[in-house]
Amino acid sequence: MMERVYKQVIPDFDKGYEERMRERSVVYWPEKINVPVLIMHGGADWRSDTNSQALTLVQRLQEHRKTYELIIYAQDDHGLSLNRADSHRRIVEWFKRYMK
């Protein structure tokens, strides 16, 4: 399903799926991040695995001593629909803390 979208928005997607996706994955270039990062993840999200994505990113951010916060809503989905009010509150707090 997403492959059709990727083909439309990612140049040369058909020439190398793995390489094109790697170029776009922050996991492979955390050293370039120069702002605090808020990561919010639904533990029941079928679209992205917590261990292979969110936790891998956190590990890479730690390795590069970047500022981040990870919040995992254990039973929630991709849109954090079960915790919408809490996630919105945390986003606002995050921006208030780091926007200057």
Side-chain angles (χ1 to χ4, degrees), residues 21-38:
M21 297 307 282
R22 184 180 176 105
E23 290 169 351
R24 284 157 178 76
S25 176
V26 69
V27 169
Y28 297 104
W29 41 266
E31 70 282 354
K32 295 182 180 181
I33 296 173
N34 295 312
V35 297
V37 178
L38 175 62

Side-chain angles (χ1 to χ4, degrees), residues 38-52:
L38 175 62
I39 304 163
M40 302 176 95
H41 199 285
D45 182 356
W46 58 269
R47 293 180 186 145
S48 59
D49 175 58
T50 305
N51 290 327
S52 68

Side-chain angles (χ1 to χ4, degrees), residues 50-73:
T50 305
N51 290 327
S52 68
Q53 296 190 0
L55 296 179
T56 300
L57 176 56
V58 163
Q59 180 181 6
R60 297 296 314 271
L61 291 171
Q62 285 176 346
E63 290 169 2
H64 291 276
R65 298 181 183 186
K66 302 297 182 173
T67 300
Y68 73 91
E69 183 175 343
L70 171 65
I71 301 163
I72 298 176
Y73 296 100

